[in-house]
């Protein structure tokens, strides 16, 4: 006999099982597990639900791997840039409105700074030699 | 770095063999569990990993639960690229196992 819903004890175990899963997939797995349990008799429903509960941590781990695979790569910022010790290099600005001027770009993290004023030499900060707050 | 191959445990191999028996056929978790002799708590994490790797596609059954008298099933099917990779992975796992068994087997001398 096939049921429309599993018996209460099995439903309870499934509801506990899906609690450890990421929130966005709980409903999907609840429905999926209910559908499978409905094909078993009342006695085996509880056993199968308990087994699903046993495998819930493995399922959670598998779903976490999915998040790792789909997550965009995170840019790692050099520790020197975190402390404000950028390594700037000057190059011509691509912006046509400020043609002729240059822009400073950190070779490690890509941070932009205003270019040096014409005629002014690059200070130690521009060369990546300055300590934070100095120069 | 994301994995491109699942860990080819014996349980993963058993699930892949069932899915490869009829690559176009849709299977649901309980059916795979019955065919492999594995409990549902073992089958679902494997299916989830295979789905993450893009070997398996899953979809809800297109039926009316009231008419069928049961809830909709979630079906799994190996896609074309997944079937090819699954065959390769199973073949490699089989060769690896055969090599290990070959090393363990005692050498018989013929006179």
């Amino acid at each position: 006999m096939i049921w429309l819903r599993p018996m209460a004890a099995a439903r309870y175990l499934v509801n506990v099982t899906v609690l450890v899963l990421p929130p966005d997939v709980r409903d999907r797995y609840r429905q999926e597990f209910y559908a499978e349990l409905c094909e078993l008799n009342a006695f085996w429903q509880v056993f199968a639900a308990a087994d699903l509960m046993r495998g819930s941590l493995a399922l959670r781990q598998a779903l976490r791997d999915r998040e790792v695979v789909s997550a965009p790569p995170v840019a790692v910022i050099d520790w020197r840039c975190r402390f404000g010790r950028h390594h700037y290099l000057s190059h011509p600005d691509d912006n046509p409105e400020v043609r002729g001027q240059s822009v400073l770009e950190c070779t490690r993290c890509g941070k932009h700074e205003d270019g040096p004023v014409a005629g002014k030499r690059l200070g130690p900060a521009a060369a990546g030699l300055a300590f934070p707050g100095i120069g | 770095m994301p994995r491109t191959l699942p860990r080819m445990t014996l349980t993963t191999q058993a699930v892949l063999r069932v899915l490869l028996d009829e690559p176009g056929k849709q299977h649901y978790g309980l059916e795979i569990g019955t065919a492999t002799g594995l409990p549902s708590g073992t089958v679902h994490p494997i299916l989830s990993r295979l789905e993450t790797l893009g070997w398996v596609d899953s979809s809800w059954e297109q039926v009316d639960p009231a008419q069928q008298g049961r809830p909709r099933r979630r079906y799994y099917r190996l896609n074309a690229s997944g079937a090819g990779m699954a065959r390769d992975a199973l073949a490699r796992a089989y060769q690896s196992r055969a090599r290990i068994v070959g090393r363990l087997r005692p050498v018989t001398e013929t006179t």
Side-chain angles (χ1 to χ4, degrees):
Chain A
M1 175 165 178
I2 295 178
W3 315 70
L4 266 173
R5 288 174 77 194
M7 61 179 294
R11 279 205 311 275
Y12 176 77
L13 289 174
V14 167
N15 289 339
V16 173
T17 300
V18 297
L19 276 181
V20 302
L21 305 181
D24 58 320
V25 295
R26 281 180 196 161
D27 200 44
R28 170 203 155 167
Y29 277 101
R30 184 183 293 114
Q31 288 183 39
E32 187 172 349
F33 294 159
Y34 277 6
E36 293 186 3
L37 294 178
C38 284
E39 305 201 12
L40 304 170
N41 66 36
F43 179 74
W44 285 109
Q45 280 182 11
V46 180
F47 273 95
D51 191 71
L52 287 169
M53 188 185 252
R54 184 189 59 78
S56 62
L57 292 178
L59 182 57
R60 182 175 72 165
Q61 187 59 48
L63 291 165
R64 277 191 176 170
D65 291 347
R66 176 198 65 170
E67 287 165 10
V68 170
V69 168
S70 60
V74 179
V76 179
I77 298 174
D78 193 283
W79 65 271
R80 288 166 291 191
C81 296
R82 286 185 189 277
F83 286 100
R85 295 200 61 201
H86 297 280
H87 183 258
Y88 288 119
L89 278 184
S90 174
H91 61 85
D93 200 334
D94 296 332
N95 188 349
E97 292 178 6
V98 288
R99 190 172 296 160
Q101 291 191 17
S102 57
V103 65
L104 295 176
E105 184 178 355
C106 177
T107 56
R108 290 192 287 260
C109 70
K111 185 186 175 185
H112 284 259
E113 277 286 309
D114 291 335
V117 178
K120 187 181 174 185
R121 289 179 61 201
L122 289 176
L129 302 172
F131 287 100
I134 303 173
Chain B
M1 188 176 166
R3 294 173 67 94
T4 52
L5 281 174
R7 278 191 308 142
M8 289 301 285
T9 57
L10 291 175
T11 50
T12 304
Q13 291 174 40
V15 170
L16 283 175
R17 263 187 232 109
V18 170
L19 292 171
L20 272 172
D21 273 347
E22 292 174 77
K25 192 188 166 196
Q26 294 184 316
H27 302 265
Y28 60 101
L30 187 70
E31 185 185 12
I32 295 170
T34 308
T36 55
L38 296 170
S40 297
T42 305
V43 170
H44 283 286
I46 293 170
L47 290 173
S48 174
R49 286 204 177 87
L50 295 175
E51 199 175 359
T52 302
L53 292 169
W55 291 20
V56 165
D57 296 325
S58 72
S59 58
W60 286 110
E61 188 182 21
Q62 299 295 322
V63 293
D64 180 15
Q67 204 173 18
Q68 290 288 318
R70 59 169 175 78
R72 293 181 305 155
R73 294 168 179 159
R74 184 88 181 175
Y75 277 120
Y76 296 87
R77 184 172 59 180
L78 272 175
N79 56 37
S81 62
M85 284 190 278
R87 278 195 198 93
D88 289 348
L90 279 177
R92 273 199 301 274
Y94 179 78
Q95 284 169 1
S96 163
R97 201 166 56 233
R99 221 171 21 243
I100 292 167
V101 170
R103 280 183 198 157
L104 294 175
R105 189 174 293 152
V107 179
T108 52
E109 288 182 19
T110 53
T111 53

